[in-house]
Amino acid sequence: MVDSILAVQNLTVRYGKHEVLSKISFTVEAGDYIGVVGPNGSGKTTLMKAVLGLLPLYEGKITFHPQLAEGHFIGYLPQKAVSSDRLFPAKVKEIVSIGLLANKKEPKFFSARDYERIDAILERLKIADLKDKKIGNLSGGQQQRVLLARAMVNSPQMLILDEPTSALDPQIREEFYELIEGLNRDDGVVVMVVSHDVGSVGKYTKKMLYLDRRLVFYGGYDEFCHSQEMTEYFGFLAQHQFCWGHADGKHDQLDR
Ligand SMILES: Nc1ncnc2c1ncn2[C@@H]1O[C@H](COP(=O)(O)OP(=O)(O)OP(=O)(O)O)[C@@H](O)[C@H]1O
């Protein structure tokens, strides 16, 4: 347990009398890339908020590895972060610089080193050419990369992405997942990505965490696809759809 990056033990969350997460326990290990999946309202965002320390009240325990518990170590890309407002005046470099503010004490000035970090992350995410463009004028995929750069500019050890590709078309979505896979593989960033899209996510992530207010499944995608327990939970056809796609391509919505 001590060696885990993160240990969640018996986490229960209620909004008023409504219990939305019930006794969730799992650990996240170094190098993990986890798809957090489940139907609408199953508690995915709530779980991520609990991990991020954004919930004032919960039962259970959330423990980070002691070396991680110092400073700002989680990058977060929230749900529906893409701006559709073309008049929004902020430039890409300004949006990304916001990611550096959390670690700064007053007065919050940017140093030459900060500007180097902004340039480095824009380069890493292949959007250096967009640096001086207004975010409202970018495509959905470009905007997501900019927001990913904001989440990554502090070099976090862990990245939490909530439905990062829901507004993107299939090709851009695949490119985005490939980018995240590279951050996990090459830069060692631990990733938790929330999605409805079990098929796409399962292709890239190393583990699946399936929520339905309780923890239904936690393990590898292959195991998820071949588990008898999951066949009983979903039914054979639904499991087949999640795992091997569907001829009409409608395999990615999981609303039940
Ligand atoms: N601030 C809140 N106050 C009251 N209820 C809430 C609040 N946030 C979420 N809920 C409820 O908690 C449940 C879980 O919501 P949550 O957003 O965590 O689910 P989700 O799996 O992320 O859903 P989706 O896939 O639709 O984004 C839902 O029934 C939701 O209506």
Side-chain angles (χ1 to χ4, degrees):
M1 194 74 84
V2 172
D3 288 335
S4 299
I5 298 284
L6 162 68
V8 175
Q9 293 162 277
N10 273 323
L11 176 72
T12 295
V13 179
R14 294 184 191 87
Y15 290 115
K17 288 186 180 162
H18 184 40
E19 187 165 295
V20 295
L21 289 176
S22 181
K23 296 196 169 146
I24 309 284
S25 297
F26 66 94
T27 59
V28 175
E29 312 301 329
D32 269 352
Y33 182 2
I34 301 168
V36 179
V37 289
N40 283 124
S42 57
K44 303 180 294 296
T45 298
T46 301
L47 176 62
M48 295 302 99
K49 284 184 177 168
V51 168
L52 285 158
L54 298 176
L55 289 187
L57 267 183
Y58 60 81
E59 282 170 26
K61 209 168 160 192
I62 299 176
T63 321
F64 288 96
H65 192 284
Q67 280 174 356
L68 288 186
E70 296 160 13
H72 187 76
F73 59 89
I74 306 185
Y76 179 41
L77 181 50
Q79 199 174 12
K80 299 185 188 104
V82 173
S83 165
S84 55
D85 183 356
R86 297 213 166 263
L87 297 176
F88 191 62
K91 289 183 179 169
V92 166
K93 61 185 178 191
E94 292 160 350
I95 300 273
V96 176
S97 71
I98 293 168
L100 289 169
L101 291 179
N103 264 5
K104 288 191 178 291
K105 298 192 174 69
E106 299 289 346
K108 301 197 176 205
F109 291 125
F110 292 113
S111 63
R113 171 81 190 107
D114 290 332
Y115 292 116
E116 280 169 22
R117 293 177 83 166
I118 293 168
D119 286 346
I121 194 66
L122 292 176
E123 198 71 49
R124 174 74 181 83
L125 301 185
K126 299 189 173 67
I127 46 172
D129 54 327
L130 304 179
K131 184 176 163 183
D132 291 306
K133 295 231 166 16
K134 289 184 184 157
I135 187 149
N137 287 335
L138 304 183
S139 70
Q142 289 170 327
Q143 288 191 7
Q144 276 308 58
R145 281 181 190 237
V146 172
L147 297 171
L148 180 61
R150 183 182 66 181
M152 286 296 300
V153 70
N154 256 333
S155 309
Q157 285 133 311
M158 187 169 174
L159 195 54
I160 292 184
L161 311 165
D162 197 346
E163 302 264 14
T165 61
S166 55
L168 307 181
D169 66 44
Q171 195 201 329
I172 306 293
R173 185 170 61 194
E174 294 288 304
E175 284 171 16
F176 192 81
Y177 277 126
E178 276 166 22
L179 188 66
I180 302 296
E181 189 185 34
L183 293 176
N184 172 257
R185 187 188 54 234
D186 305 332
D187 303 30
V189 180
V190 171
V191 182
M192 294 187 84
V193 57
V194 173
S195 180
H196 282 101
D197 185 352
V198 179
S200 266
V201 162
K203 231 165 71 184
Y204 292 106
T205 58
K206 295 173 185 162
K207 291 182 182 167
M208 305 285 278
L209 190 155
Y210 194 96
L211 274 186
D212 197 351
R213 300 192 181 180
R214 64 182 178 90
L215 184 60
V216 177
F217 178 86
Y218 186 47
Y221 184 51
D222 275 357
E223 204 190 325
F224 175 85
C225 289
H226 293 103
S227 147
Q228 183 63 32
E229 199 187 338
M230 289 299 95
T231 309
E232 280 163 22
Y233 181 80
F234 294 116
F236 175 75
L237 281 178
Q239 187 186 24
H240 189 274
Q241 251 180 317
F242 300 154
C243 293
W244 294 282
H246 206 268
D248 63 8
K250 288 179 185 162
H251 66 290
D252 54 0
Q253 278 297 318
L254 205 58
D255 305 330
R256 289 189 297 127

